[in-house]
Amino acid sequence: HHHQHSVLVNNDVASAGVRFASTHRLLREGHNVNFMLERCRVTCSQFHKKGPKLWRSEQLLLSNIESEWIRQFYIQGEGHKKNLWKYWEQPMCQLLNYWGQLEKRTKQVLDLLTNAAFARCGEHEKNKTNGEPPSKAERKQREKQKKALATAEDLIRRTAGGSNIDDPTEILYQPICVLLEERAKMRSLWTQRENEGVFKGMESEYWPLDVPFKFDHLDNAKSADKEVGISPLGGTSKQLTKICQELKMCARAFLSRDGNHLPAMKTVLVASQQADSTISPVSLQSSSNDEKREGSVVKEKREKDKELLTKKIDEVKEPLAATQQTQETTKKTLKSEESKKTTEETPAIPLIKRPRTTESDHRKDLDWKGWKSVKIGLEMQNPWGRKLLDGTKAIETRAYDLPKSLIGKKIDILQSKGGKDCVSGLSNVMVGEEITNAVQPIGWAIFARVEVYRYKGKFIADEKKHCVEQSSNYGWNDDTKVIYGWVVSKCGRYGKKRKKAKVLLRRMRSLFEIQ
């Protein structure tokens, strides 16, 4: 077995940079993906069993495959994935599937422990409906809590082996809390590692990829994409820490039998169904019984009273409706006359204001946070934008890198009129008709990655992809050190009916913010 790794060092003058190391060793059991997949299969096949030891082994396995396999794979970047995906696609998709099953299992264990604590404090026996019978959802929730308490007490007896235990939460709650805290810390460290500034000095194909986890999804959620792990729980370190804190509160309540120690629990109610109907089923039943008692005479009298009341209401409604209609017509005529006067007497006022900017607003860094949130357009001179959209030009070459946040993001193609090579034909700030006269949004493109050309031979070899001739001013010359090729993965054209941009703000070179 041959294993290589690199050590990225920051904030250390003596050893700053990147260190590489390699390890050659005999393959041991547990150091290959087939062993891990078999372990996942066996563990997931035993979900019908319950117990603290099983839960602990499940949580350890979950942290292992997340940290040591899945996250380790995706942090190595698009280039690594592209080279090895043919082999790793099936095992990685299987690991993501097992990871989702273990996350769902974690949610089931947390629900069991939470419901057991609520039942231990007698919450399942309290009447919270102001004397009214509990709804179907409430009865179902109470039954769950009752069953959860019976399961928890049975697990405590079996684990204790018949002897008395002073603190039963040490068996059920505390081990899970410790493992959840460890996973929260692990995710926090991974977040720091994935956002290390040292990656910016590397080629973009070796920047960390987003791990295909989907958190806060429903228990029964499914995805057509196999390369995804779905979890019903929160995914951030803070969310996991909060879950752990609530579980500790449940442990305290389970031990003290005091409902004041319980966390706030979202109960399932059917009040919305009752709110939709004006009369509740109880009142309907009581009214029907009253009618039976009163007899047909009372019914006839009520119907007559209703008829008289509706006639009086109609008499009052008719003149009111007429006056309201006349008021509305007069308002409309007044508004139309006022609008005519304003259009004839006053000149048109421009609605779009030119934003005030500084030089720094037009020279944003590659790591500017706005790349994620704002709509971005790329200026391309005619005919290059058209060639990119019809597939002739598969790589857009630039003297600068594409911001990482724009990889995989839809970018508008802003085609400007032909001008001088390597010189933008647009102003830093453009509004209204200035945009219409100078540039046209002809379509969109998504860039999958950046091909970094450091050698002239490689750049010339890809001439058919980027369509830049050697004699062009955009080609490789004696002073060229590097050229960045933005590789197109998807693109499309816009139709004639397209909403016009109000403002264009240059953010970096030929990249504009569209408002």
Side-chain angles (χ1 to χ4, degrees):
H1 172 64
H2 177 211
H3 170 70
Q4 288 185 337
H5 64 275
S6 62
V7 182
L8 310 177
V9 183
N10 269 347
N11 302 324
D12 188 355
V13 179
S15 61
V18 182
R19 300 199 308 271
F20 289 91
S22 64
T23 305
H24 300 263
R25 65 187 177 204
L26 293 173
L27 188 64
R28 299 202 314 265
E29 188 180 25
H31 284 259
N32 66 83
V33 70
N34 292 325
F35 176 84
M36 292 303 300
L37 289 172
E38 179 61 20
R39 186 179 166 194
C40 290
R41 186 193 66 79
V42 172
T43 302
C44 292
S45 66
Q46 295 179 347
F47 281 168
H48 61 284
K49 299 179 181 179
K50 297 181 180 67
K53 289 184 179 180
L54 275 173
W55 294 343
R56 185 175 183 276
S57 64
E58 290 165 0
Q59 295 304 307
L60 291 171
L61 177 61
L62 174 56
S63 296
N64 191 326
I65 62 174
E66 178 179 336
S67 180
E68 301 303 323
W69 292 88
I70 298 174
R71 290 186 181 273
Q72 290 282 8
F73 181 84
Y74 286 96
I75 198 174
Q76 297 178 74
E78 181 66 32
H80 172 265
K81 181 183 177 184
K82 184 179 178 182
N83 291 332
L84 301 176
W85 191 240
K86 186 177 180 181
Y87 170 79
W88 276 103
E89 180 179 6
Q90 184 177 352
M92 192 54 60
C93 290
Q94 287 178 321
L95 285 172
L96 286 165
N97 180 34
Y98 284 128
W99 177 89
Q101 291 184 48
L102 288 166
E103 282 281 302
K104 184 179 178 181
R105 170 68 164 181
T106 304
K107 173 73 162 50
Q108 292 172 352
V109 173
L110 292 173
D111 288 345
L112 187 147
L113 295 175
T114 302
N115 286 327
F118 272 77
R120 179 101 162 173
C121 296
E123 294 294 313
H124 66 299
E125 295 175 351
K126 292 182 180 178
N127 190 1
K128 301 178 183 178
T129 54
N130 299 323
E132 295 180 3
S135 64
K136 184 178 179 181
E138 288 172 331
R139 291 197 302 272
K140 191 175 180 181
Q141 181 64 25
R142 290 181 182 185
E143 192 63 29
K144 278 186 179 180
Q145 292 175 353
K146 188 178 178 181
K147 287 181 179 179
L149 178 59
T151 302
E153 289 175 342
D154 181 57
L155 289 173
I156 292 168
R157 282 194 299 271
R158 282 192 293 162
T159 307
S163 59
N164 293 327
I165 300 175
D166 296 332
D167 188 357
T169 61
E170 291 182 357
I171 296 173
L172 295 182
Y173 291 85
Q174 291 184 19
I176 301 294
C177 289
V178 170
L179 293 169
L180 288 177
E181 286 175 338
E182 289 177 358
R183 190 175 307 130
K185 186 178 179 181
M186 176 266 286
R187 287 181 181 172
S188 177
L189 292 172
W190 268 107
T191 303
Q192 294 175 20
R193 188 181 301 176
E194 289 163 357
N195 290 280
E196 280 285 354
V198 71
F199 285 112
K200 295 174 185 176
M202 302 168 65
E203 295 180 7
S204 58
E205 62 180 336
Y206 299 113
W207 290 353
L209 292 170
D210 292 333
V211 184
F213 289 153
K214 287 186 179 180
F215 293 100
D216 287 317
H217 274 56
L218 297 174
D219 290 352
N220 58 353
K222 292 183 180 180
S223 175
D225 188 5
K226 293 182 180 179
E227 190 189 353
V228 64
I230 299 175
S231 169
L233 299 172
T236 65
S237 176
K238 288 183 179 179
Q239 288 174 320
L240 208 54
T241 303
K242 185 180 179 183
I243 291 171
C244 185
Q245 289 172 351
E246 291 177 350
L247 188 61
K248 287 181 178 179
M249 293 172 69
C250 288
R252 185 182 176 190
F254 188 92
L255 188 63
S256 64
R257 299 176 185 266
D258 186 355
N260 295 321
H261 296 155
L262 290 168
M265 187 177 182
K266 295 179 181 178
T267 55
V268 182
L269 299 174
V270 290
S272 58
Q273 295 177 359
Q274 293 177 357
D276 292 339
S277 58
T278 54
I279 304 173
S280 66
V282 178
S283 61
L284 281 172
Q285 189 177 0
S286 61
S287 62
S288 62
N289 292 334
D290 291 339
E291 285 176 357
K292 286 177 182 178
R293 292 193 210 101
E294 288 170 358
S296 59
V297 178
V298 178
K299 279 186 181 180
E300 289 176 4
K301 189 178 180 182
R302 280 185 177 180
E303 287 174 2
K304 286 181 181 180
D305 291 340
K306 281 182 182 180
E307 287 176 4
L308 290 170
L309 185 63
T310 51
K311 283 181 181 179
K312 288 180 180 179
I313 291 169
D314 291 337
E315 289 173 1
V316 176
K317 274 184 177 180
E318 286 177 2
L320 281 172
T323 52
Q324 285 177 358
Q325 191 172 0
T326 52
Q327 285 176 359
E328 286 176 1
T329 51
T330 51
K331 282 180 182 179
K332 286 179 181 178
T333 52
L334 287 170
K335 282 183 180 179
S336 60
E337 288 175 2
E338 286 176 1
S339 61
K340 285 180 182 178
K341 286 181 180 179
T342 52
T343 51
E344 292 173 359
E345 295 174 3
T346 58
I349 301 171
L351 298 175
I352 305 171
K353 292 183 179 180
R354 184 180 296 276
R356 294 180 180 179
T357 58
T358 60
E359 191 64 27
S360 62
D361 293 327
H362 310 303
R363 295 186 177 183
K364 296 297 183 183
D365 298 326
L366 291 170
D367 57 351
W368 178 49
K369 293 182 179 179
W371 297 125
K372 289 184 178 180
S373 56
V374 302
K375 188 177 180 181
I376 298 295
L378 173 65
E379 178 198 356
M380 296 184 69
Q381 291 185 356
N382 189 26
W384 301 114
R386 178 171 46 79
K387 287 188 175 184
L388 185 141
L389 295 180
D390 64 19
T392 306
K393 185 178 175 66
I395 298 177
E396 170 61 11
T397 57
R398 297 280 164 168
Y400 51 93
D401 202 356
L402 179 69
K404 182 184 175 183
S405 299
L406 294 184
I407 293 176
K409 182 176 178 177
K410 199 173 184 179
I411 299 173
D412 276 16
I413 303 300
L414 308 174
Q415 182 163 276
S416 59
K417 297 174 183 178
K420 292 183 180 180
D421 290 346
C422 306
V423 178
S424 174
L426 306 180
S427 305
N428 287 342
V429 182
M430 302 179 74
V431 297
E433 291 299 321
E434 295 175 359
I435 302 171
T436 308
N437 297 331
V439 70
Q440 183 183 4
I442 60 173
W444 56 269
I446 296 175
F447 298 102
R449 59 187 179 87
V450 177
E451 184 74 35
V452 183
Y453 296 102
R454 300 187 185 276
Y455 304 103
K456 182 178 179 180
K458 186 180 179 183
F459 181 78
I460 295 173
D462 283 350
E463 184 176 323
K464 289 184 179 180
K465 296 179 181 179
H466 52 63
C467 302
V468 179
E469 297 178 356
Q470 185 55 30
S471 58
S472 168
N473 291 329
Y474 296 103
W476 196 286
N477 55 49
D478 296 336
D479 297 328
T480 303
K481 292 183 179 179
V482 63
I483 293 178
Y484 296 91
W486 303 358
V487 181
V488 181
S489 63
K490 294 180 182 179
C491 61
R493 287 183 175 275
Y494 287 137
K496 292 181 180 179
K497 293 182 179 180
R498 177 69 183 163
K499 190 177 179 181
K500 293 181 179 179
K502 296 179 180 179
V503 180
L504 282 185
L505 285 175
R506 190 187 301 275
R507 288 305 186 186
M508 187 184 81
R509 308 292 284 269
S510 295
L511 292 169
F512 286 79
E513 176 184 345
I514 302 173
Q515 295 180 359

